[in-house]
Amino acid sequence: MNEVEKLYNMLKKVQEPKGFYFNKDRERVFELLGALLVNKERYGYMSCPCRLASGEREKDRDIVCPCTYRTPDVEEYGSCYCNLYVSRAWNEEKIPHVYVPERRPPEKLFP
């Protein structure tokens, strides 16, 4: 089992009981998890692969995966910004797959 698969299994076990599921598109999920591992190697923490990290953990605290924005995104849209974490209804296509707008404050977008 490679590192991405290990991360997948560990996060799935922790997050599903909380109501957060991985996107059913496993290829996308594995790409995102791989990018999280790259960011962990690069910065020392798993910053969101869909956002620009500063490299300073304290400044990026809000985008360490799962990010601060995941819960409100999944509650409102059925998916987080990256489409990594989704609701069961989103995966079952019971709700529309719409664009999830960026919630991160503008002053943090470009470190």
Side-chain angles (χ1 to χ4, degrees), residues 13-101:
K13 193 181 327 179
V14 171
Q15 298 301 326
E16 280 191 1
K18 298 177 184 178
F20 298 102
Y21 300 87
F22 282 130
N23 186 328
K24 67 182 178 180
D25 181 346
R26 282 179 61 103
E27 185 177 331
R28 172 137 177 93
V29 168
F30 276 56
E31 284 175 11
L32 290 167
L33 293 177
L36 282 171
L37 291 171
V38 167
N39 284 347
K40 183 178 181 184
E41 181 71 27
R42 183 181 292 154
Y43 303 121
Y45 53 93
M46 290 194 299
S47 66
C48 176
C50 301
R51 294 180 168 104
L52 189 58
S54 71
E56 294 178 42
R57 186 181 188 98
E58 189 55 35
K59 285 184 178 180
D60 294 338
R61 202 169 28 136
D62 63 323
I63 61 168
V64 173
C65 190
C67 74
T68 302
Y69 315 105
R70 177 190 68 173
T71 298
D73 284 351
V74 172
E75 286 174 356
E76 187 172 348
Y77 300 101
S79 170
C80 72
Y81 184 68
C82 294
N83 301 134
L84 176 62
Y85 288 107
V86 301
S87 68
R88 183 186 312 249
W90 193 94
N91 260 346
E92 293 173 354
E93 300 188 26
K94 292 180 178 175
I95 60 174
H97 295 186
V98 298
Y99 173 75
V100 179

